[in-house]
């Protein structure tokens, strides 16, 4: 059994990268592997926009990540600076930046790039999408 | 401690890949990882000196490559074939790099624990 850290760099719906990341993460957990955390970097932070509202007959990727967290308690962390420059804000960042709205909430959380680096250090493998 | 290679494959400024690759490189180095930077394909264009990214509305992260020695990043490789494709000599570059063959890059990739491609 291995311990992975998953790095997601692709935006939800803009490419298949993030869907493939989700499928990999789900399959790994179902097979008994451990996932240190899922780290959203680059356009990957757009996966965590809780306002993502695909049509009812489409796969809801944001909700799928949330379900993965609920079932396996896998940590879902955004790179905060990558998120902020792409308009992904938690309630806390909205307050700090004097914005009226926010679009990221639990179980997604903000973190630093350090959480990717320490994740790479402690996991057996980093898998990037 | 892990050995991490960060591969620059895309041209700067048209996308944020180069900038976010450099952010990760410097942060990994500050966490005491052994980091190597490898420039291949369009990625070698990150190294061209005298760029003025602000004129296309982009942040000048190119200047930050100069900080690599402060972070003890010693292995910086550029693919000689990619440099030739763009007509670049070492004197055209903003930092000191080792000009290496593709097979040496393959060798470096096999020596590290993780490869992150940008």
């Amino acid at each position: 059994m291995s311990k992975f850290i998953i790095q997601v760099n692709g935006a939800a719906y803009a490419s298949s990268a993030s869907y493939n990341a989700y499928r990999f993460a789900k399959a790994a957990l179902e097979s008994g592997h451990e996932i240190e955390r899922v780290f959203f970097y680059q356009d990957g932070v757009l996966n965590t926009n809780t306002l993502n509202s695909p049509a009812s007959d489409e796969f809801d990727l944001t909700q799928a990540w949330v379900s993965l967290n609920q079932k396996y308690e896998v940590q879902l962390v955004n790179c905060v600076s990558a998120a902020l420059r792409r308009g992904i804000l938690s309630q806390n960042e909205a307050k700090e930046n004097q914005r009226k709205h926010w679009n990221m909430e639990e179980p997604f959380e903000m973190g630093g790039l350090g959480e990717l680096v320490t994740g790479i250090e402690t996991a057996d493998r980093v898998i990037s999408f | 401690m892990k050995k991490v290679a960060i591969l620059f494959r895309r041209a700067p400024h048209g996308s944020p890949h180069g900038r976010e690759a450099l952010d990760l490189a410097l942060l990994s180095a500050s966490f005491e990882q052994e980091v190597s930077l490898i420039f291949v394909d369009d990625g070698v264009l990150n190294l061209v000196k005298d760029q003025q990214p602000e004129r296309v509305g982009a942040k000048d992260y190119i200047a930050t490559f100069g900080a690599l020695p402060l972070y003890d990043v010693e292995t910086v490789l550029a693919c000689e074939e990619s440099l030739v494709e763009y007509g670049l000599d070492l004197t055209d570059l903003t930092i000191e790099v080792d000009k290496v063959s593709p097979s040496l890059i393959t060798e470096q990739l096999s020596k590290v624990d993780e490869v992150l491609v940008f």
Side-chain angles (χ1 to χ4, degrees):
Chain A
M1 291 291 118
S2 298
K3 191 199 270 188
F4 297 110
I5 174 161
I6 314 284
Q7 186 193 15
V8 184
N9 295 324
Y13 306 106
S15 77
S16 57
S18 52
Y19 181 65
N20 292 338
Y22 164 73
R23 291 285 302 268
F24 180 92
K26 185 166 177 280
L29 290 164
E30 284 169 355
S31 315
H33 296 288
E34 202 180 325
I35 291 184
E36 174 78 20
R37 65 179 64 102
V38 179
F39 190 85
F40 299 94
Y41 193 38
Q42 301 188 280
D43 288 351
V45 299
L46 298 172
N47 281 267
T48 73
N49 184 347
T50 51
L51 299 179
N52 283 344
S53 309
S56 57
D57 60 347
E58 287 175 40
F59 186 78
D60 188 338
L61 197 50
T62 303
Q63 188 52 48
W65 287 118
V66 171
S67 304
L68 211 60
N69 165 275
Q70 287 167 347
K71 188 161 181 193
Y72 297 99
E73 296 181 347
V74 59
Q75 203 188 2
L76 305 170
V77 183
N78 264 333
C79 168
V80 64
S81 48
L84 284 175
R85 70 170 76 105
R86 289 170 176 83
I88 304 293
L89 284 80
S90 68
Q91 188 170 6
N92 195 30
E93 277 90 36
K95 198 174 155 198
E96 280 174 14
N97 293 278
Q98 287 106 45
R99 302 298 164 112
K100 289 180 194 154
H101 308 283
W102 63 90
N103 55 356
M104 195 208 80
E105 56 197 18
E106 288 179 352
F108 297 108
E109 53 188 289
M110 292 294 190
L113 260 184
E115 294 192 48
L116 172 61
V117 175
T118 54
I120 289 173
E121 188 68 43
T122 48
D124 299 308
R125 266 278 175 255
V126 54
I127 314 283
S128 301
F129 292 88
Chain B
M1 185 179 72
K2 275 195 175 179
K3 293 179 184 159
V4 179
I6 297 184
L7 212 67
F8 290 73
R9 294 199 63 188
R10 292 180 175 85
H13 319 312
S15 80
H17 289 95
R19 177 183 172 189
E20 292 181 338
L22 181 60
D23 282 349
L24 179 56
L26 295 180
L27 202 101
S28 298
S30 70
F31 274 67
E32 312 279 309
Q33 312 252 17
E34 192 177 318
V35 182
S36 50
L37 269 58
I38 305 174
F39 296 84
V40 294
D41 302 332
D42 294 357
V44 296
L45 296 170
N46 283 280
L47 297 166
V48 175
K49 65 182 176 191
D50 298 331
Q51 299 193 40
Q52 299 175 54
E54 288 95 343
R55 297 189 65 175
V56 290
K59 185 184 157 104
D60 185 11
Y61 69 90
I62 304 294
T64 312
F65 281 112
L68 287 172
L70 300 174
Y71 287 81
D72 295 323
V73 176
E74 284 159 7
T75 308
V76 184
L77 311 178
C79 172
E80 62 183 3
E81 286 187 10
S82 305
L83 290 170
V84 167
E85 266 177 45
Y86 282 99
L88 296 170
D89 292 321
L90 289 180
T91 52
D92 298 316
L93 309 184
T94 181
I95 53 168
E96 263 185 49
V97 301
D98 289 325
K99 189 163 79 168
V100 295
S101 65
S103 59
L104 259 169
I105 290 174
T106 308
E107 199 182 299
Q108 176 68 19
L109 294 180
S110 66
K111 276 196 277 188
V112 300
D113 300 306
E114 306 287 358
V115 180
L116 297 163
V117 182
F118 286 86

